[in-house]
Amino acid sequence: MDFKKLSAFLEENGLPAFRLKQVRDAVYKNFAVSWDEITVLPAPLRERLAAGLRVNSLDTAETLVSKKGDAVKFAFRLKDGHVIETVLLNLLPEKWSLCVSTQVGCPVRCPFCATGRKGLKRNLSPDEIVDQFLAAASYLKKTRGQKISSVIFMGMGEPFYNYEAVGEAIRAMTDPDLLGLGQRHISVSTSGHVPGIRKFAKDFPQCNLAISLHASEDKLRNELVPLNVTYPLSQLAKALTDYIFMTKRRVFVEYVLMDGVNNSRSQAAKLSSWLRSVAAPKYFTINLIPYNRTGGPFKAPAKERVKVFAGLMEEYGFEVTVRKSLGDDVAGACGQLAGK
Ligand code: SAH
Ligand code: SF4
């Protein structure tokens, strides 16, 4: 919601300022997404407001629920017709995480990711990011009477290529008068945007940082994550060392396992030594993500090979998790968001 516009409208029409607070509470506390739901306002006022101002900037084009009910994918249509995707994930009983998008498409163009395939269309505005939360929260409240407990910036787009808007959205999400989430319940995933990592350490030292690594040699990483050409592994290593030194926080390392590409024993050893060159193993949690199909030439490794890779990393002293693939039946798993 454009609160500046609302406030100007109230002033121009000589309406009391407490209306602003009423609308703010209805949107941020009760997750109203349309004027009809804001019943504290008199109906004629609601009608006038509806003519010029939207409560939520997003239209829900589609809502898909996974068979197990543990993932809900929303396709949201933006004002200019572009479609973005947002996924609710039920990772623990009664605990919902929301995976939000930050851009329409993505400029990084990783060859294994459906979002990257189309390149970048445009950045999302702070409102368009926060509205994903508000629309999903409204859905969760109405359908299950539950709440979102954490947000992961892991949907479409490279968050640090849209740093200002992402920062403003995080501020709204963590503002106790607005959405009131703790910084520790917010995670941002980057493909390795070095200036973004450095700024994030200063601006949001309590939020979680996840790095999409996927390879620990420049030659392979240049292919898998083309941003590596701009910010090679040596620069990324320095930025992460400084990040850990400044924040004393653990970094989440995401590693999409692709059979025959980055899952050999020697690659596990290289991953370990690269991480150790950054900081002690206790500063890392490695999330192994078996590749989700996106129509390219890549293949997920067999389950046993995932286990072998995970076991090796554990032997090297790292905490390892293998990410469950929630929502692949609704094309809502990592890397499958295309906004078709
Ligand atoms: N652009 C950011 C955040 C969005 S991508 C980033 O790359 O970190 C979110 C995660 O999904 C990343 O770790 C990404 O590498 C992973 N991912 C992309 N395509 C995937 C696929 N086909 N299978 C599994 N994970 C994938
Ligand atoms: Fe962009 Fe992340 Fe997909 Fe790479 S994996 S294309 S950085 S969204």
Side-chain angles (χ1 to χ4, degrees), residues 26-186:
V27 170
Y28 288 105
K29 307 283 178 228
N30 299 324
F31 307 128
V33 286
S34 70
W35 290 107
D36 300 341
E37 293 172 77
I38 310 184
T39 48
V40 291
L41 301 183
L45 176 57
R46 272 187 270 154
E47 266 168 43
R48 282 170 68 196
L49 285 165
L53 194 60
R54 296 183 60 113
V55 174
N56 191 297
S57 60
L58 311 171
D59 276 321
T60 307
E62 193 172 33
T63 307
L64 291 170
V65 183
S66 69
K67 275 196 212 84
K68 288 193 214 143
D70 54 2
V72 183
K73 181 173 89 167
F74 303 94
F76 292 123
R77 187 166 294 111
L78 310 174
K79 281 194 294 271
D80 60 5
H82 285 306
V83 175
I84 55 165
E85 295 179 342
T86 306
V87 189
L88 267 172
L89 297 163
N90 192 192
L91 299 171
L92 297 163
E94 306 250 321
K95 291 253 187 250
W96 289 86
S97 262
L98 185 70
C99 179
V100 297
S101 291
T102 56
Q103 299 183 308
V104 183
C106 179
V108 179
R109 289 180 167 267
C110 306
F112 53 86
C113 168
T115 303
R117 202 158 298 150
K118 290 190 298 189
L120 176 71
K121 302 284 188 242
R122 72 168 172 85
N123 278 333
L124 297 184
S125 70
D127 274 352
E128 286 167 336
I129 299 172
V130 174
D131 285 350
Q132 294 171 60
F133 183 104
L134 294 169
S138 162
Y139 170 90
L140 207 50
K141 183 180 169 203
K142 286 174 192 147
T143 58
R144 320 205 187 195
Q146 292 177 347
K147 285 188 167 177
I148 296 171
S149 38
S150 61
V151 176
I152 50 182
F153 285 77
M154 262 184 217
M156 297 163 66
E158 167 48 53
F160 290 160
Y161 268 132
N162 189 14
Y163 192 98
E164 291 312 315
V166 166
E168 208 175 300
I170 294 176
R171 279 187 207 100
M173 288 171 184
T174 52
D175 183 335
D177 291 331
L178 299 176
L179 292 169
L181 286 179
Q183 276 200 23
R184 283 173 190 252
H185 293 113
I186 295 199

Side-chain angles (χ1 to χ4, degrees), residues 137-337:
S138 162
Y139 170 90
L140 207 50
K141 183 180 169 203
K142 286 174 192 147
T143 58
R144 320 205 187 195
Q146 292 177 347
K147 285 188 167 177
I148 296 171
S149 38
S150 61
V151 176
I152 50 182
F153 285 77
M154 262 184 217
M156 297 163 66
E158 167 48 53
F160 290 160
Y161 268 132
N162 189 14
Y163 192 98
E164 291 312 315
V166 166
E168 208 175 300
I170 294 176
R171 279 187 207 100
M173 288 171 184
T174 52
D175 183 335
D177 291 331
L178 299 176
L179 292 169
L181 286 179
Q183 276 200 23
R184 283 173 190 252
H185 293 113
I186 295 199
S187 305
V188 176
S189 173
T190 178
S191 53
H193 189 284
V194 164
I197 294 167
R198 294 192 176 280
K199 200 160 184 322
F200 190 68
K202 287 200 200 98
D203 296 344
F204 303 104
Q206 303 293 320
C207 288
N208 302 301
L209 177 68
I211 302 288
S212 296
L213 198 61
H214 317 318
S216 35
E217 285 171 296
D218 281 320
K219 188 167 174 291
L220 178 59
R221 196 164 190 271
N222 284 345
E223 281 170 39
L224 294 180
V225 186
L227 187 62
N228 195 71
V229 176
T230 314
Y231 305 114
L233 283 161
S234 57
Q235 284 190 38
L236 182 58
K238 278 204 200 99
L240 291 179
T241 303
D242 294 348
Y243 174 88
I244 291 168
F245 181 78
M246 272 181 70
T247 63
K248 305 283 180 287
R249 304 219 64 211
R250 178 180 277 276
V251 168
F252 296 84
V253 174
E254 296 164 277
Y255 196 96
V256 174
L257 287 170
M258 291 169 268
D259 199 38
V261 175
N262 64 353
N263 66 333
S264 70
R265 284 173 178 271
S266 68
Q267 283 162 324
K270 279 185 188 128
L271 174 58
S272 165
S273 47
W274 188 80
L275 290 173
R276 280 170 181 270
S277 79
V278 171
K282 66 170 181 187
Y283 284 110
F284 296 104
T285 295
I286 303 177
N287 288 323
L288 297 176
I289 316 172
Y291 168 74
N292 292 309
R293 267 167 303 139
T294 56
F298 302 101
K299 270 194 354 237
K303 269 209 180 90
E304 307 80 71
R305 301 210 47 187
V306 173
K307 265 200 196 141
V308 170
F309 199 93
L312 285 169
M313 294 316 295
E314 273 166 2
E315 275 172 37
Y316 291 131
F318 295 91
E319 188 180 303
V320 181
T321 63
V322 176
R323 189 169 298 163
K324 280 194 287 182
S325 166
L326 300 190
D328 54 349
D329 55 341
V330 292
C334 292
Q336 294 183 324
L337 307 183

